[in-house]
Amino acid sequence: MCEPITAISIAMGAASFAGSAASAIGQHQQQQAAVARSNAIARQQYQQQMQIAAADDQEKGRVYQAELKSTTAAKNAYYRELEANQAEATRASMSLQNKMEERRTAAKFNMQGQIANSIQAQGEMLATGKSGQSFLLNAMQAERDLGFEIAQIEQSLYDSRRASGIEAEGILLDQQSANVGAWNNLPADPLSPMASFMPIKPIKAQGPSGLALAGNLVSSAAGAAGTGLSTESALYDISQRP
């Protein structure tokens, strides 16, 4: 009866070991699969984040180049406007100078005409051959009239020069105001885009070690051996009963 009992015990131990080993291997493989899946998901998320960051940087660069191009065009327009303002101020100043020159020329001819008239009047008075206090008074009156006329001409010329100076100052102020307005319309220089923060590269998770599986298998073998011995002992006790 010993050999059948031993065979049964060995069979029971083998069955126990097979079950425990299969369970240990299954758990090991399941843990490995879970870790591999977690690592795959982490790699995929990292790659997606890298792609998003690259796309964001590309878009920032495109926007920056467009803003830079727009700013350059605005500056070119600004410099052209300054040139136009200068040309207009020069034209207005030249026109004002021409008007002032015409006024001075007219005043000069007017003054010369008044002097000529006064000289002619004095000549006519002398031609009469008269003398005396009445003649002297008439001559003095003619000189006063000439002085009055010249004073009026000079005052008119002075007023014209003053008005011309005010108008010239207004031309400069208009030019300055136009230049300031053009400057205020300039857009600010675009700031160089900053690179996006790179995502943190995931650390690969380690799966269950082979040593752990080996230990589980050794434990399963030991447990199976114990089960076989227990079964053999039980069967032996049963076989010894009367």
Side-chain angles (χ1 to χ4, degrees):
M1 293 297 294
C2 293
E3 292 182 359
I5 292 174
T6 302
I8 293 172
S9 300
I10 292 173
M12 291 295 293
S16 176
F17 173 73
S20 299
S23 177
I25 293 173
Q27 290 179 356
H28 182 79
Q29 292 177 343
Q30 185 178 7
Q31 291 174 355
Q32 282 186 326
V35 172
R37 180 175 180 275
S38 177
N39 287 334
I41 293 175
R43 285 195 304 271
Q44 184 178 10
Q45 291 177 343
Y46 174 72
Q47 291 173 354
Q48 289 176 347
Q49 291 172 353
M50 288 289 291
Q51 292 174 354
I52 292 173
D56 288 343
D57 288 343
Q58 185 176 4
E59 178 63 16
K60 290 177 183 178
R62 187 192 66 79
V63 172
Y64 174 72
Q65 291 298 326
E67 291 178 347
L68 194 63
K69 184 177 180 180
S70 176
T71 301
T72 301
K75 287 182 178 179
N76 292 335
Y78 166 73
Y79 293 128
R80 288 195 298 270
E81 187 167 355
L82 290 186
E83 293 177 355
N85 293 340
Q86 181 61 52
E88 175 59 23
T90 301
R91 184 203 63 78
S93 297
M94 293 294 296
S95 176
L96 182 61
Q97 291 177 5
N98 291 334
K99 290 179 180 179
M100 190 62 204
E101 189 63 29
E102 290 174 358
R103 291 169 183 169
R104 282 195 294 265
T105 301
K108 179 179 178 180
F109 281 113
N110 191 9
M111 189 177 295
Q112 289 176 349
Q114 294 296 332
I115 293 174
N117 291 334
S118 178
I119 293 174
Q120 182 179 358
Q122 290 180 359
E124 291 176 353
M125 290 178 60
L126 292 174
T128 60
K130 295 181 179 180
S131 61
Q133 185 176 4
S134 177
F135 176 80
L136 181 60
L137 291 175
N138 290 333
M140 292 175 63
Q141 182 62 41
E143 291 180 358
R144 284 196 295 269
D145 291 342
L146 176 60
F148 180 74
E149 294 294 338
I150 292 176
Q152 281 187 325
I153 294 172
E154 290 179 346
Q155 182 62 41
S156 177
L157 191 60
Y158 171 78
D159 292 340
S160 297
R161 284 196 298 267
R162 186 175 61 178
S164 179
I166 294 174
E167 190 172 352
E169 184 177 357
I171 292 172
L172 294 177
L173 290 176
D174 289 343
Q175 180 186 7
Q176 182 180 6
S177 177
N179 291 343
V180 170
W183 171 262
N184 290 335
N185 289 331
L186 275 176
D189 290 337
L191 297 177
S192 299
M194 295 181 61
S196 300
F197 290 104
M198 290 294 99
I200 299 175
K201 189 174 183 179
I203 299 175
K204 183 178 179 181
Q206 298 297 325
S209 67
L211 292 176
L213 176 60
N216 290 332
L217 291 176
V218 170
S219 297
S220 298
T227 300
L229 292 174
S230 298
T231 302
E232 184 179 3
S233 177
L235 292 175
Y236 179 77
D237 290 339
I238 293 172
S239 65
Q240 296 298 319
R241 294 177 184 177

